[in-house]
């Protein structure tokens, strides 16, 4: 599914989990991610993956800025939130942060956590 070699294994896991919900343009979203240049901005309080999608990729007919959100409900902590941003029809970034603005870790194993994926989009 997610095959971009510039992504770390945990980043691929996050994206694949987000994309388990049935979405229109699912394959186009994955294609954009798989062919994008990737840069990171990781801090103690948020994680940001930036995607630079090539102009030759198919533009998504989505006008919603954040069409996919994922909430990871951790034991004894606030939920971790992931937002997939789409700007001008291109996947722009994946943003992750704790709902209470506490410090965040990249070592979250989604197999052992309760996850809820929400999709909102308008064409």
């Amino acid at each position: 599914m997610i095959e971009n070699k510039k992504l770390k294994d945990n980043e691929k896991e996050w994206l694949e989990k987000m994309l388990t919900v049935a979405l229109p343009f699912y394959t186009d979203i994955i294609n954009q991610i798989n062919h994008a240049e990737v840069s990171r901005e990781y801090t103690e309080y948020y994680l940001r993956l930036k995607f630079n999608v090539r102009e030759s990729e198919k533009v998504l007919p989505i006008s919603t800025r954040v069409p996919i959100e994922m909430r990871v409900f951790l034991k004894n902590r606030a939920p971790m939130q992931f937002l997939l941003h789409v700007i001008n029809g291109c996947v722009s970034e994946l943003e992750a942060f704790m709902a209470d603005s506490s410090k965040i870790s990249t070592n979250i194993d989604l197999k052992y956590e309760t996850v809820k994926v929400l999709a909102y989009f308008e064409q």
Side-chain angles (χ1 to χ4, degrees):
M1 189 158 115
I2 301 296
E3 299 171 351
N4 189 323
K5 294 186 185 328
K6 296 167 188 89
L7 292 169
K8 298 175 183 176
D9 288 342
N10 61 333
E11 296 165 346
K12 289 178 186 178
E13 180 187 22
W14 301 337
L15 288 162
E16 287 177 356
K17 193 68 162 182
M18 288 185 87
L19 294 168
T20 57
V21 67
L23 296 168
F25 324 115
Y26 169 85
T27 55
D28 296 328
I29 292 169
I30 291 172
N31 194 52
Q32 283 191 4
I33 291 169
N34 281 338
H35 294 94
E37 289 297 319
V38 177
S39 61
R40 289 169 188 77
E41 183 182 348
Y42 280 16
T43 73
E44 293 182 313
Y45 298 98
Y46 68 88
L47 311 173
R48 182 174 290 143
L49 283 174
K50 295 275 214 172
F51 299 97
N52 185 6
V53 175
R54 298 185 311 219
E55 290 181 16
S56 61
E57 296 301 322
K58 183 176 179 184
V59 174
L60 303 168
I62 297 173
S63 61
T64 306
R65 169 69 185 242
V66 179
I68 307 171
E69 177 182 351
M70 179 170 71
R71 296 178 190 154
V72 180
F73 297 92
L74 306 168
K75 294 175 185 81
N76 303 319
R77 290 202 63 195
M80 187 174 182
Q81 293 185 257
F82 292 83
L83 306 176
L84 186 69
H85 295 261
V86 173
I87 300 174
N88 297 325
C90 293
V91 175
S92 172
E93 72 180 69
L94 176 65
E95 176 183 23
F97 54 91
M98 300 304 293
D100 66 354
S101 299
S102 62
K103 289 186 179 181
I104 193 167
S105 170
T106 61
N107 298 325
I108 304 296
D109 190 343
L110 299 181
K111 291 184 285 255
Y112 301 107
E113 306 299 344
T114 302
V115 176
K116 183 173 186 176
V117 179
L118 307 164
Y120 322 88
F121 58 90
E122 293 180 20
Q123 297 180 328

